[in-house]
Amino acid sequence: MRVSVFGLGYVGCVSAACLAGMGHQVIGVDVNQVKVDLVNDGKAPVVEERIGELTAEVVRTGALRATTDVHEAIMGSEVSLICVGTPSEPNGSLCTTYLERVTEEIGAALADRSGRSGRSGRHTVVFRSTMLPGTCLNLLVPILEKSVGGTAGVDIGVAVNPEFLREGTSVRDFFDPPKTVIGELDAASGDVVAALYDGLPGEVFRVPVPVAEAIKYADNAFHGLKIGFANELGAVCQALGVDSHQVMDVFLADRKLNISPAYLRPGFAFGGSCLPKDLRSLVHAARRADVSVPILAHVLPSNADHLQRAVELVERTGKRRVGLFGLSFKPGTDDLRESPLVELAERLFGKGYELKIYDANVSLSRLIGANREYIETRLPHLAQLLADSVEEVLDHAEVCLVGTRDVAVLSALPHGGDGPVLIDLIRLPDADARRTEPGYVGLAW
Ligand SMILES: NC(=O)c1ccc[n+]([C@@H]2O[C@H](COP(=O)([O-])OP(=O)(O)OC[C@H]3O[C@@H](n4cnc5c(N)ncnc54)[C@H](O)[C@@H]3O)[C@@H](O)[C@H]2O)c1
C-alpha cells in the first residue's frame, strides 16, 4: 500500500520504517526539516534498537522517503497515519493542537487532490496518536469534513489505531505486537488498517472509534497502577522486614485470582469481611512504619465514592419508594458483614427513602446463627425492610436497584420502562438489550 506517515517522532519514525520493511511504499512527513533530512539520508531521527539499520535499509531500497510537503505526501498515498505528539498542557489536559493542525492540512490537501484529479480512490486517515475518547469523532472528524468538503465514512475513511510499542524495543514490538486495535468509523476504513498490518501476529480487535481511544488509556493507567502497587507493597514489605520479591513470586504465580481477568470488570463496590479489613490494617501498618502508600490508602475511599455514585443515581430519579435486590456482600452467601449493599441500604434509609429489600439468601425466615444475630442486633432497622418475595418489592418500588444475579429476580424484572426505574449495579446479563430501554440506568457502563 502507499502510506503517508505524519510526525516522525518515536511512533511515526518506527511505524514508517517498519511498514516500509513490510513492503509498503511509505512517505514520512514532519514539520521539522532536520528530521526529514535525517530520514532522507537513511538515518533514524530517534535512538532505538534496530531502527538505524532498518531506516538505512528501507531508504536505500526506496521504500521510505520523507518530506515537509503535505500535498506531495497526500498525492502519493492512499492511507495516512497520524503520529503527531499529544503532550500534556500545564493543567494536565490533553493538547490536541498538533492533531487539529495536521488534520486540517490533510483535509485541505485531500480537497485539492479530488479537485485536481476528479474522483480518485477514497483516502483513509488513521489516527495513531493517543487521544481521549471523543477526540476523533467530536473534534477531528468535523475538522476533516469541513476542510475536505465531504463526509467521513463515505468520502473519506477514518480510523483510530492506537499504538502499543514500548520505547527501547519498539521495532521488535512492531513486528510482534501485544494486539492490534482498530477503531473503525465504517468497515471499509477498518479493512484498510487491517490490510496494512496483514501478516503480523497477535489478536486484531475491531471496535468503535471511542473504544479504541479508551483502550490506550485503560492500558497505560493499569500499567502505571501496577508499578505503583508493586512499589508501595515493596516499601511496606521492606519496612516489615519481608522480602518483597519472594512475596511477589508467589503473588504472580496465582493465575486464578491475581494475574487474571478476575476483579477487572466494572461493577458495584467491593465489601465483605476480608478486603476492607485487610486493606485498613495494611495501610495502618504502613503508616506506623512511616511508609507513604497513597495508592493503597485510596482504595477504600475510591470504593466509597463508587458506592456514593449509586446513591446519586437514586437521588437523580427524584423518586422516594425504592426497592433493593440483593443485600449480602456477594451472590451465593448470606454474609452481611461489610456488604456494600448493606451500606447502600443504610445510606438510603438514612436519607429517608421508603426502602424494601429482597435477597433470597437473607430472608429473615431462613437466616440462622451468626447472621440472624448480626441482622437482629446490628441492622434491626434493615430487618424490618426485608421483603419475602420479588413481587412485594416490585409492587412497592418506583425505582429498583439490582445488585444480584439471582435468576428469580432477573426473570421478574419488567422490560421497556414498564414498571419502576431500574438501576443496574452489576451490569445485568441482558444489559445490552436493556440499555436502550426507557427507565434503565447502568452504574457500570
Ligand atoms: N513514544 C511512545 O512510546 C508512544 C507510545 C504509544 C503512543 N504514543 C503516542 O503517539 C503520539 C506520538 O508520540 P511520539 O513520542 O512519537 O511524539 P514525538 O513528539 O516524538 O513526535 C511527534 C512528531 O510530530 C511532528 N509534528 C507535529 N506537528 C506536525 C504536523 N502538523 N505535521 C507533521 N508532523 C508534525 C513533530 O515535529 C514531531 O517530530 C502521541 O500521541 C503519544 O502519546 C507514544
Side-chain angles (χ1 to χ4, degrees):
M1 295 166 81
R2 294 180 311 140
V3 187
S4 48
V5 175
F6 287 78
L8 294 172
Y10 276 91
V11 172
C13 105
V14 170
S15 300
C18 292
L19 287 167
M22 287 178 77
H24 298 295
Q25 190 65 40
V26 182
I27 179 161
V29 190
D30 206 293
V31 288
N32 184 331
Q33 185 70 50
V34 178
K35 292 190 181 187
V36 168
D37 292 343
L38 275 170
V39 170
N40 285 330
D41 283 346
K43 297 186 185 114
V46 299
V47 178
E48 271 288 305
E49 192 183 271
R50 283 172 55 192
I51 190 69
E53 305 89 292
L54 183 63
T55 307
E57 171 66 14
V58 290
V59 171
R60 192 184 54 74
T61 62
L64 172 64
R65 66 192 173 87
T67 179
T68 54
D69 187 336
V70 177
H71 277 74
E72 180 191 343
I74 291 298
M75 294 302 167
S77 61
E78 63 219 83
V79 50
S80 299
L81 302 191
I82 315 301
C83 306
V84 300
T86 50
S88 279
E89 296 285 15
N91 66 359
S93 66
L94 183 79
C95 167
T96 54
T97 310
Y98 306 111
L99 277 172
E100 293 170 53
R101 197 171 305 149
V102 79
T103 305
E104 224 168 70
E105 288 167 358
I106 290 174
L110 283 171
D112 200 29
R113 184 180 78 161
S114 51
R116 268 197 246 163
S117 56
R119 243 189 95 84
S120 44
R122 188 174 100 153
H123 196 92
T124 302
V125 180
V126 182
F127 295 97
R128 291 277 270 163
S129 302
T130 301
M131 50 199 192
L132 286 164
T135 308
C136 178
L137 296 187
N138 302 337
L139 177 69
L140 302 175
V141 161
I143 292 175
L144 195 61
E145 289 181 330
K146 188 166 169 230
S147 37
V148 174
T151 306
V154 179
D155 306 304
I156 339 140
V158 171
V160 165
N161 169 227
E163 84 104 72
F164 302 100
L165 317 178
R166 295 164 297 176
E167 279 184 28
T169 56
S170 56
V171 174
R172 212 178 331 142
D173 289 348
F174 182 95
F175 290 109
D176 188 14
K179 60 186 174 268
T180 298
V181 174
I182 303 172
E184 53 190 22
L185 189 63
D186 60 321
S189 300
D191 290 345
V192 171
V193 185
L196 212 50
Y197 300 115
D198 192 27
L200 290 185
E203 202 169 338
V204 177
F205 298 90
R206 295 181 63 155
V207 294
V209 165
V211 173
E213 292 171 315
I215 286 168
K216 183 71 192 168
Y217 285 91
D219 282 22
N220 279 353
F222 190 48
H223 298 165
L225 185 64
K226 286 211 288 191
I227 295 169
F229 170 80
N231 287 338
E232 286 193 5
L233 204 76
V236 182
C237 284
Q238 191 171 18
L240 302 180
V242 180
D243 182 339
S244 62
H245 280 249
Q246 241 177 352
V247 172
M248 292 315 274
D249 283 345
V250 180
F251 174 91
L252 294 170
D254 179 344
R255 307 251 154 191
K256 278 197 180 143
L257 300 183
N258 293 347
I259 308 306
S260 77
Y263 309 124
L264 281 172
R265 293 285 184 181
F268 193 47
F270 66 80
S273 58
C274 294
L275 264 52
K277 166 179 84 70
D278 296 348
L279 269 161
R280 271 195 293 269
S281 54
L282 184 65
V283 170
H284 184 257
R287 211 171 282 141
R288 276 184 49 175
D290 277 337
V291 177
S292 162
V293 286
I295 295 177
L296 293 171
H298 282 87
V299 177
L300 287 174
S302 158
N303 198 47
D305 283 2
H306 192 56
L307 198 139
Q308 184 59 24
R309 278 191 272 273
V311 176
E312 283 160 16
L313 287 180
V314 176
E315 286 173 343
R316 247 180 265 159
T317 65
K319 308 207 183 287
R320 302 304 302 171
R321 292 204 314 273
V322 180
L324 174 61
F325 290 114
L327 192 63
S328 64
F329 94 92
K330 65 178 175 187
T333 173
D334 64 354
D335 194 350
L336 295 168
R337 287 171 300 168
E338 300 219 37
S339 164
L341 291 167
V342 168
E343 174 65 28
L344 178 61
E346 289 190 311
R347 284 200 204 173
L348 293 170
F349 182 72
K351 282 175 177 284
Y353 286 97
E354 296 165 41
L355 190 59
K356 268 200 192 294
I357 305 166
Y358 177 77
D359 183 325
N361 289 323
V362 195
S363 93
L364 262 191
S365 49
R366 289 184 49 199
L367 275 181
I368 45 166
N371 276 316
R372 184 171 186 105
E373 192 189 316
Y374 184 82
I375 201 161
E376 280 175 345
T377 57
R378 300 282 297 278
L379 310 169
H381 49 297
L382 294 191
Q384 53 181 326
L385 309 176
L386 289 176
D388 285 323
S389 70
V390 180
E391 288 67 31
E392 195 183 330
V393 172
L394 285 175
D395 287 346
H396 157 83
E398 298 167 294
V399 50
C400 272
L401 295 139
V402 190
T404 177
R405 286 195 172 76
D406 179 351
V407 282
V409 173
L410 299 193
S411 56
L413 293 178
H415 270 278
D418 185 19
V421 172
L422 290 184
I423 299 182
D424 178 358
L425 301 176
I426 51 168
R427 192 151 173 152
L428 293 167
D430 60 353
D432 273 335
R434 287 189 181 273
R435 197 175 178 176
T436 50
E437 291 179 0
Y440 171 84
V441 187
L443 175 68
W445 279 109

